[in-house]
């Protein structure tokens, strides 16, 4: 997720870009960073993270602290917005402050933080990498060296009002045309309910949603060679899906200001028939304490696409060790504790966040409790990575500007993509 979810994201999460990790940028450019530093020092550390929307992070920290009185972890919560989180982490690193210990990084930040030596290489043998989903492990690597350990993953899901579709005799849509048709049939008898929303504010979530649309139309944002490929019919079709949905009202105007939490609240209030969202929403929307108007009334499905099921972006969050924290051994040990099967199971059960421990997706009791796990595993396995490059933020901002302009009516999809193609060419040279 862009949230811990998160932007998660993430980023993705995805259907996004595949830029080569060798792309040049600031800091060390395309050269591999130096070898591992000594991971020494035992004592208190901080865990720096975006706003904990899961509600379970402090429980995990409390359990660690109860068993490690001399190595207590203090949570530092940053803003909900992923871009603001990254900015504060970068500022701290540039001052070489030891205030930040373990960093909860969006999966797309690995290259930048590793290339600038803001985080330290980690010994692969210390972590159960072979037990984790392979796609998630790769997000923690830069120049084939491990810099971050995947704690949560993310894949985009289509949340839908099962009660309303069932009443209309409809199945969840597998294509954009079916989604549009379902809205036309259901909404006239469901006042106060809009058709569809995702994350459409001008931030990382829009990069994710744009990239998913392009990939779900059969296109790519960049090719396997790391060069942008937005001058295609498929890319145009993907962006036109979003633009046309705004024009027709299928995407309501207020949804253009939605990040993850605004959309979650709208879906839980019964204001949306369909919602593109990360797994963390499942537990909150299903809460039976009166906070959700749709508890027991919704289900999840794969994202729809142009001609069949779409492709999610790969989201999630990884833990990395700040190069400037004094107690690096404690930081590593805390990451080992957090990535364990036991902690990932507990976190899934309490928050519905996507684990990175592969076997959990196939446990019968967990699948019975969280039916979305089967869909989610496929979403993650088939997800498209966002760019693993030092200049990721510049690339993402260029995408956001182009997509937001087109969806706001400031430019045509064709002109927006032509301009974006040129900007990405200059950023990926």
């Amino acid at each position: 997720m862009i949230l811990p979810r998160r932007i998660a994201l993430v980023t993705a999460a995805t259907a996004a870009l595949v830029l080569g990790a060798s792309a040049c940028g600031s800091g060390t450019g395309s050269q591999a960073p130096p070898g591992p530093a000594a991971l020494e020092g035992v004592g208190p550390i901080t865990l720096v993270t975006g706003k904990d929307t899961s509600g379970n992070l402090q429980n995990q920290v409390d359990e660690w602290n109860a068993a490690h009185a001399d190595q207590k972890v203090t949570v530092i919560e940053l803003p909900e917005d992923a871009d603001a989180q990254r900015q504060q982490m970068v500022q701290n690193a540039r001052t070489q402050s030891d205030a930040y210990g373990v960093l909860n990084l969006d999966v797309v930040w690995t290259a930048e933080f590793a290339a600038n030596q803001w985080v330290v290489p980690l010994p692969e043998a210390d972590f159960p990498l072979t037990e984790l989903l392979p796609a998630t492990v790769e997000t923690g690597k830069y120049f084939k060296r491990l810099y971050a350990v995947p704690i949560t993953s993310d894949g985009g899901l289509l949340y839908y009002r099962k009660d309303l579709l069932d009443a209309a005799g409809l199945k969840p849509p597998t294509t954009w045309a079916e989604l549009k048709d379902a809205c036309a049939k259901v909404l006239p008898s469901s006042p106060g309910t809009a058709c569809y929303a995702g994350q459409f504010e001008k931030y990382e979530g829009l990069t994710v949603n744009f990239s998913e649309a392009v990939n779900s139309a059969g296109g790519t944002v960049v090719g396997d060679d790391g060069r942008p490929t937005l001058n295609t019919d498929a890319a145009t079709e993907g962006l036109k899906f979003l633009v046309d949905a705004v024009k027709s009202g299928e995407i309501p105007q207020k949804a253009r200001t939605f990040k993850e939490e605004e959309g979650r609240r709208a879906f839980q209030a019964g204001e949306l028939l369909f919602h593109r969202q990360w797994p963390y929403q499942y537990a909150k929307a299903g809460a039976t304490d009166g906070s959700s108007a749709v508890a027991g009334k919704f289900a999840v499905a794969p994202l729809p696409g142009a001609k069949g099921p779409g492709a999610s972006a790969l989201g999630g969050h990884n833990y990395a060790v700040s190069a400037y924290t004094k107690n690096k051994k404690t930081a590593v040990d805390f990451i080992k504790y957090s990535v364990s099967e036991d902690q990932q199971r507990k976190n899934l059960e309490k928050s519905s966040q996507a684990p990175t421990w592969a076997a959990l997706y196939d446990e019968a009791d967990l699948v019975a409790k969280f039916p979305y796990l089967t869909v989610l595993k496929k979403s993650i396995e088939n997800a498209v990575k966002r760019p693993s490059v030092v200049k990721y933020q510049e690339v993402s901002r260029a995408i956001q500007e182009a997509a937001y302009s087109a969806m706001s009516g400031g430019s045509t999809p064709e002109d927006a993509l032509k301009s974006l193609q040129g900007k990405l060419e200059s950023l990926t040279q």
Side-chain angles (χ1 to χ4, degrees):
M1 323 211 171
I2 301 174
L3 289 168
R5 10 215 170 270
R6 199 168 321 305
I7 55 96
L9 3 171
V10 109
T11 98
T14 309
L17 325 170
V18 184
L19 298 177
S22 61
C24 295
S26 60
T28 58
S30 60
Q31 295 183 346
L39 299 174
E40 301 173 346
V42 173
I45 60 170
T46 58
L47 169 60
V48 185
T49 181
K51 182 175 176 59
D52 177 31
T53 57
S54 75
N56 187 53
L57 181 60
Q58 190 62 53
N59 294 332
Q60 292 181 300
V61 170
D62 289 346
E63 187 175 333
W64 164 274
N65 288 343
H68 302 84
D70 60 340
Q71 301 179 65
K72 287 193 173 182
V73 175
T74 300
V75 176
I76 297 178
E77 275 193 314
L78 302 182
E80 184 177 301
D81 180 79
D83 296 339
Q85 295 166 27
R86 173 196 163 274
Q87 182 180 25
Q88 291 195 27
M89 290 184 185
V90 169
Q91 288 174 345
N92 183 83
R94 285 175 174 164
T95 64
Q96 299 188 12
S97 168
D98 64 358
Y100 288 2
V102 174
L103 304 179
N104 188 5
L105 300 180
D106 189 299
V107 294
V108 298
W109 299 343
T110 301
E112 178 185 17
F113 279 71
N116 286 289
Q117 301 176 44
W118 294 332
V119 295
V120 298
L122 300 173
E124 293 193 20
D126 283 9
F127 305 98
L129 302 184
T130 59
E131 302 295 335
L132 310 182
L133 292 170
T136 68
V137 174
E138 290 305 308
T139 67
K141 293 184 177 181
Y142 182 64
F143 278 96
K144 299 182 179 181
R145 187 177 296 158
L146 187 72
Y147 283 86
V149 177
I151 300 298
T152 61
S153 188
D154 252 341
L157 300 171
L158 182 71
Y159 289 74
Y160 66 93
R161 286 290 299 278
K162 188 176 186 301
D163 59 334
L164 298 181
L165 291 194
D166 286 350
L170 299 173
K171 296 181 178 180
T174 60
T175 66
W176 295 331
E178 289 175 358
L179 184 148
K180 181 177 181 178
D181 182 62
C183 289
K185 291 179 179 178
V186 171
L187 297 187
S189 59
S190 302
T193 302
C195 178
Y196 175 76
Q199 293 76 50
F200 300 133
E201 177 61 278
K202 194 191 298 183
Y203 80 118
E204 180 64 23
L206 183 54
T207 298
V208 170
N209 280 248
F210 165 82
S211 300
E212 287 179 341
V214 171
N215 282 274
S216 295
T220 57
V221 179
V222 299
D224 292 338
D225 59 356
R227 305 297 296 169
T229 54
L230 293 166
N231 50 357
T232 64
D233 291 341
T236 302
E237 184 177 11
L239 181 54
K240 279 179 64 66
F241 161 65
L242 298 176
V243 171
D244 291 347
V246 172
K247 289 180 179 178
S248 68
E250 285 154 5
I251 293 177
Q253 283 297 319
K254 72 174 184 178
R256 289 177 47 232
T257 68
F258 282 4
K259 297 180 182 178
E260 282 86 355
E261 282 294 272
E262 291 85 352
R264 177 186 67 78
R265 288 189 284 266
F267 185 78
Q268 283 184 216
E271 298 173 5
L272 295 170
L273 180 59
F274 297 108
H275 187 212
R276 181 265 172 232
Q277 180 63 293
W278 304 105
Y280 87 99
Q281 177 170 280
Y282 196 93
K284 292 183 177 292
T288 57
D289 59 1
S291 62
S292 176
V294 299
K297 300 177 181 179
F298 72 94
V300 297
L303 297 176
K307 298 178 176 62
S312 168
L314 181 60
H317 278 75
N318 303 337
Y319 282 179
V321 177
S322 168
Y324 310 108
T325 187
K326 296 177 181 177
N327 296 320
K328 292 182 175 63
K329 184 179 186 306
T330 293
V332 169
D333 289 343
F334 177 73
I335 295 175
K336 290 162 65 175
Y337 156 84
S338 300
V339 78
S340 69
E341 183 178 14
D342 178 59
Q343 285 302 315
Q344 291 213 25
R345 179 183 285 103
K346 289 178 180 178
N347 193 52
L348 168 61
E349 291 177 334
K350 294 180 180 179
S351 74
S352 82
Q353 285 184 310
T356 57
W357 200 281
L360 296 179
Y361 288 85
D362 301 316
E363 286 193 11
D365 58 334
L366 291 177
V367 173
K369 186 176 181 179
F370 302 103
Y372 69 91
L373 282 177
T374 301
V375 175
L376 176 58
K377 185 178 182 181
K378 291 179 180 178
S379 175
I380 294 172
E381 290 176 339
N382 297 327
V384 180
K385 288 177 63 179
R386 284 175 285 169
S388 178
V389 293
V390 178
K391 288 188 176 181
Y392 178 79
Q393 286 303 118
E394 291 93 329
V395 168
S396 182
R397 277 196 289 269
I399 291 172
Q400 295 164 31
E401 291 287 346
Y404 197 83
S405 175
M407 293 176 70
S408 302
S411 61
T412 66
E414 291 81 3
D415 287 345
L417 290 175
K418 181 178 180 180
S419 175
L420 181 58
Q421 174 77 14
K423 290 179 180 178
L424 296 192
E425 285 176 353
S426 66
L427 288 169
T428 57
Q429 288 179 349

